[in-house]
Amino acid sequence: MLKIRLSMGGAKKRPVYKIVVADSRFPRDGRFIEKVGFFNPLLPKTKKERITLQVERIKHWINEGAKPTLRVSRILGEAEVFPMPPKGNNPLKAIPKKDRKKDKSDSKIPIAEGVKAEPKKEEPKKE
């Protein structure tokens, strides 16, 4: 299956990404079919050089059946090449992780007093 995805490059703590068309079985930074764009997340969003796209080639590969990953589809949506994906809904995102765990442990429902637990199976006596 063909994917349009990001391939990472750059130095330590200074990432830059190529937008490539690759088979989904190939490694992330490995072999690819064609480079169709460039993305530098370190530049401000207002700079034109932050994202470079070959729109005609991207449209060609989408017609051939290539599917963009979520991050690439958001980049293409901002450039109005591809429809923007729907926003996700994670209501717990604003709560710190350690507090999320506490909420889950509080939500455990105690066993009702009227409900009897299953009796233990007795083993036959050995003589």
Side-chain angles (χ1 to χ4, degrees), residues 77-95:
E78 289 172 6
E80 299 176 358
V81 175
F82 197 73
M84 189 72 111
K87 292 193 175 198
N89 182 19
N90 186 359
L92 298 177
K93 188 173 183 180
I95 302 171

Side-chain angles (χ1 to χ4, degrees), residues 11-47:
K12 184 177 180 181
K13 306 277 185 172
R14 312 265 317 151
V16 291
Y17 298 94
K18 292 183 283 191
I19 300 172
V20 298
V21 177
D23 192 307
S24 62
R25 296 171 289 186
F26 295 160
R28 178 193 70 187
D29 301 333
R31 198 166 100 191
F32 60 88
I33 298 168
E34 183 178 355
K35 178 183 168 189
V36 292
F38 181 81
F39 174 59
N40 187 352
L42 299 177
L43 293 176
K45 291 183 179 182
T46 56
K47 285 220 172 195

Side-chain angles (χ1 to χ4, degrees), residues 3-125:
K3 293 267 187 187
I4 301 175
R5 65 182 180 197
L6 296 176
S7 176
M8 191 168 158
K12 184 177 180 181
K13 306 277 185 172
R14 312 265 317 151
V16 291
Y17 298 94
K18 292 183 283 191
I19 300 172
V20 298
V21 177
D23 192 307
S24 62
R25 296 171 289 186
F26 295 160
R28 178 193 70 187
D29 301 333
R31 198 166 100 191
F32 60 88
I33 298 168
E34 183 178 355
K35 178 183 168 189
V36 292
F38 181 81
F39 174 59
N40 187 352
L42 299 177
L43 293 176
K45 291 183 179 182
T46 56
K47 285 220 172 195
K48 187 179 178 184
E49 298 85 32
R50 179 180 165 97
I51 299 171
T52 306
L53 299 172
Q54 296 175 6
V55 178
E56 294 300 319
R57 295 304 297 164
I58 291 171
K59 287 180 180 178
H60 166 77
W61 283 110
I62 290 173
N63 289 338
E64 292 291 318
K67 296 200 182 287
T69 60
L70 182 62
R71 178 61 54 186
V72 171
S73 61
R74 289 184 69 194
I75 291 171
L76 296 177
E78 289 172 6
E80 299 176 358
V81 175
F82 197 73
M84 189 72 111
K87 292 193 175 198
N89 182 19
N90 186 359
L92 298 177
K93 188 173 183 180
I95 302 171
K97 205 168 204 175
K98 59 183 178 183
D99 294 339
R100 287 185 221 166
K101 291 180 182 178
K102 288 180 186 175
D103 292 342
K104 287 183 182 178
S105 63
D106 292 342
S107 66
K108 289 182 182 174
I109 302 170
I111 298 173
E113 293 175 30
V115 179
K116 293 183 180 179
E118 292 183 23
K120 294 182 180 177
K121 296 181 181 177
E122 295 180 20
E123 295 181 14
K125 294 182 182 179

